[in-house]
Amino acid sequence: MKSRYSVWKLIKEGLGGHTGWGPAWRNAAPKASYDVLIIGGGGHGLATAYYLAKNHGIHNVAVLEKGWIGGGNTGRNTTVIRSNYYYPASARLYDFSVSLYERLHKELNYNVMFSQRGIITLAHSRHDVEAATRWVGAMNCNGVATKMMSVPDIARRVPFLDVSATARFPVLGGFIQEKAGTARHDAVAWGYARAADTLGIDIIQNCEVTGFKRAADGRVTGVETSRGVIGCKKVGMAVAGSSTVLADLAGFRLPVTSYALQAFVSEPVKPVIDTVVLSLATGSYISQSDKGGLVIGGALDHYPSYAQRGNMPVARNVLGAIAEQYPALARVRFLRQWAGIVDVVPDSSPIIGTTPVPGLFMNCGWGTGGFKAIPAGGTLLAHHIATGAPHALAEPFSLERFTTGALIDEAAASGIAH
Amino acid sequence: MLLIECPWCGPRDEHEFHCGGQSHIQRPGPAESVSDAQWAGYLFDRLNPRGAHAERWVHQYGCGRWFNMVRDTTTHQILAIYQMHEPCPVPSDKGAGL
């Protein structure tokens, strides 16, 4: 049993030269078989394993990660957590996730640095304002508290935003979700990994899945990996942009296209922005990390990609938009740029539940917004794997919706360009 | 940044083009004999390969004409450019559709 992290432990270790911390999780070698295998050691996969043990008492579980924990999209996003979605099914799902994030540090005994600093969405035209008013109405009906902001409200909250009449992207108003915020993305992966490990789950890194073992009736009985064959009763996959690659191995098709989504971090500067600001006109958004770096994101790259690096044309658009809207930042230098491979589906809503292969469950399709949904995605996939039936929140998000036509089209309605 | 050889205009900057997604998708038919699952596959399922991908592009800010491209999705290297009516010249691991 690992010791709890606390201020007393910190003081004790500080006095003792920090020699007694120990690793946060074991570097497990694969056993011959498990009850459940989770493919993908990102936030969603680790959370699924954790909730399998915590909520359903299934401890004989391994998480298989082809690289290292949190080295995929969990470590490649802009850390925004929000639930300002339009449709009731989405609002319930993402608001559930935000509520889990609010107590995640206690749940995991790990400081994920969730800071509910709010997200402001800027409207730049009369049509943007009308659309924003409609979204705010719908969100409040769905129980997600948001409110409209006037231009003076916005100027007070974001003083370095150009709201002048001559601005290239004039600001006519906007809306805010106060409960939204940012968290430390690595900490979410590490916190779930540590908590899952404490509950007896094996976290196996550098273990790429290369095939599925199937019984005569088609059921999954194990996976082939770069570290040998591992048997199992059930498999859950949470691999974001690589979902199609695994679906190909299992022999079914997905409505998923993989794209690179870029993000940028500047050199640390003094505090200039205490919220997240998203522009509807440009799709670019900005926040500031606790270290002082400006964290900037924008639209998807323009064509399908599995290369975890962004392309110049989109970088130029995103950063050009930020420089126009925040002229004081035009000469700030960048430290880092990266891209994650996101799994975009036609209605920009996730797919959670069964696959055409018996015993294989999946969690994918979060597209550009998977980080905010990690606790919910893990809870819902674990529920489905453990009980064999979808959680009430996950029911609308089955793969079957593409056949029945019951799409949940959040493409333009969540206040962000997907 | 890609340098794309438009079949009509020659090599041009990627800014001038727009990617229209997977190419060679055939509409199933006749309509009355197509199941819901087949329609779903036609409308939504995509090959999305890690590797060679046949896709449609349009020279949006140039001649405005469409053409096909095979591009590697891991390196972005352009493997072939050919006309809309031509079959895909590059074999793929994924077989169907390419």
Side-chain angles (χ1 to χ4, degrees):
Chain A
M1 183 68 189
K2 278 186 284 288
S3 59
R4 280 184 63 78
Y5 290 162
S6 69
V7 67
W8 309 117
K9 172 82 174 162
L10 185 63
I11 292 167
K12 187 175 158 228
E13 286 298 327
L15 294 171
H18 294 290
T19 52
W21 288 107
W25 61 84
R26 294 164 294 128
N27 196 11
K31 291 194 288 188
S33 82
Y34 292 88
D35 289 343
V36 180
L37 288 175
I38 302 296
I39 307 172
H44 282 274
L46 293 165
T48 305
Y50 170 73
Y51 291 115
L52 275 172
K54 169 83 189 322
N55 295 351
H56 305 282
I58 301 173
H59 296 268
N60 187 18
V61 177
V63 177
L64 309 180
E65 165 56 45
K66 81 172 166 187
W68 66 96
I69 294 303
N73 292 356
T74 305
R76 291 169 183 269
N77 54 71
T78 47
T79 80
V80 176
I81 294 162
R82 59 186 177 86
S83 58
N84 50 354
Y85 280 75
Y86 182 77
Y87 289 105
S90 316
R92 281 195 295 271
L93 176 66
Y94 290 104
D95 221 36
F96 174 60
S97 197
V98 171
S99 70
L100 291 177
Y101 261 120
E102 283 176 331
R103 47 181 197 271
L104 198 59
H105 61 292
K106 279 193 178 155
E107 167 100 26
L108 301 180
N109 178 227
Y110 205 100
N111 184 7
V112 300
M113 297 165 73
F114 183 32
S115 158
Q116 292 178 289
R117 55 185 67 188
I119 181 167
I120 296 172
T121 304
L122 300 175
H124 298 283
S125 66
R126 207 188 73 194
H127 310 289
D128 280 358
V129 174
E130 285 174 0
T133 310
R134 185 172 179 219
W135 296 335
V136 165
M139 287 168 196
N140 284 308
C141 288
N142 292 333
V144 178
T146 49
K147 65 170 193 250
M148 294 299 291
M149 291 179 86
S150 67
V151 177
D153 289 345
I154 294 168
R156 257 195 308 278
R157 186 72 193 267
V158 194
F160 74 144
L161 172 68
D162 184 2
V163 295
S164 65
T166 55
R168 169 71 183 82
F169 301 102
V171 176
L172 272 65
F175 69 93
I176 185 165
Q177 182 187 16
E178 297 277 9
K179 245 173 52 164
T182 59
R184 170 118 198 251
H185 49 193
D186 299 318
V188 174
W190 298 337
Y192 272 117
R194 176 171 175 271
D197 180 86
T198 305
L199 294 174
I201 286 159
D202 283 356
I203 294 166
I204 303 165
Q205 303 182 72
N206 300 309
C207 182
E208 181 173 5
V209 170
T210 54
F212 290 93
K213 291 281 187 195
R214 310 272 290 270
D217 64 354
R219 239 193 129 64
V220 170
T221 57
V223 299
E224 296 161 14
T225 75
S226 53
R227 296 177 70 172
V229 174
I230 307 173
C232 65
K233 294 175 187 152
K234 291 174 181 172
V235 178
M237 63 183 233
V239 297
S242 297
S243 294
T244 306
V245 176
L246 280 187
D248 286 345
L249 294 175
F252 63 94
R253 286 271 154 84
L254 283 175
V256 168
T257 305
S258 299
Y259 289 93
L261 179 66
Q262 300 192 57
F264 312 85
V265 172
S266 78
E267 60 187 337
V269 294
K270 287 189 175 179
V272 288
I273 179 167
D274 65 356
T275 181
V276 184
V277 185
L278 167 91
S279 161
L280 285 177
T282 65
S284 302
Y285 56 98
I286 183 167
S287 63
Q288 190 168 20
S289 76
D290 292 347
K291 210 161 61 180
L294 296 163
V295 183
I296 291 170
L300 288 171
D301 277 12
H302 292 148
Y303 38 81
S305 175
Y306 282 86
Q308 286 177 313
R309 55 184 167 77
N311 293 303
M312 211 49 203
V314 170
R316 202 168 72 175
N317 284 350
V318 171
L319 299 176
I322 293 293
E324 275 291 345
Q325 293 177 316
Y326 308 93
L329 299 182
R331 303 179 77 165
V332 169
R333 282 162 297 193
F334 278 89
L335 288 186
R336 298 195 301 276
Q337 172 264 12
W338 66 88
I341 301 306
V342 298
D343 40 348
V344 176
V345 295
D347 63 353
S348 300
S349 286
I351 302 169
I352 310 164
T354 53
T355 68
V357 176
L360 176 59
F361 300 81
M362 71 179 162
N363 165 359
C364 73
W366 296 96
T368 59
F371 176 72
K372 71 168 90 71
I374 283 172
T379 303
L380 303 185
L381 185 62
H383 181 99
H384 206 143
I385 291 172
T387 66
H391 189 286
L393 288 174
E395 264 173 32
F397 297 99
S398 71
L399 182 61
E400 285 73 44
R401 74 175 186 270
F402 295 97
T403 307
T404 62
L407 303 185
I408 302 156
D409 193 354
E410 288 285 358
S414 63
I416 185 170
H418 282 274
Chain B
M1 182 75 86
L2 302 180
L3 185 65
I4 298 172
E5 180 92 21
C6 172
W8 293 278
C9 311
R12 296 294 184 93
D13 188 293
E14 142 183 4
H15 282 103
E16 299 182 14
F17 298 85
H18 171 75
C19 178
Q22 183 184 324
S23 199
H24 305 295
I25 295 173
Q26 295 294 320
R27 182 186 169 113
E32 60 275 15
S33 63
V34 178
S35 69
D36 286 351
Q38 280 175 298
W39 278 127
Y42 161 66
L43 286 171
F44 301 123
D45 288 352
R46 294 295 175 260
L47 295 172
N48 193 31
R50 185 161 68 185
H53 185 223
E55 54 201 15
R56 303 179 300 172
W57 284 71
V58 61
H59 194 183
Q60 193 163 17
Y61 303 110
C63 62
R65 297 178 80 172
W66 286 87
F67 57 93
N68 282 319
M69 176 194 295
V70 179
R71 188 178 54 86
D72 189 308
T73 57
T74 56
T75 63
H76 298 173
Q77 187 188 1
I78 297 169
L79 304 172
I81 284 177
Y82 56 104
Q83 304 267 345
M84 291 306 283
H85 62 270
E86 289 176 323
C88 180
V90 178
S92 154
D93 297 343
K94 298 196 74 164
L98 271 181

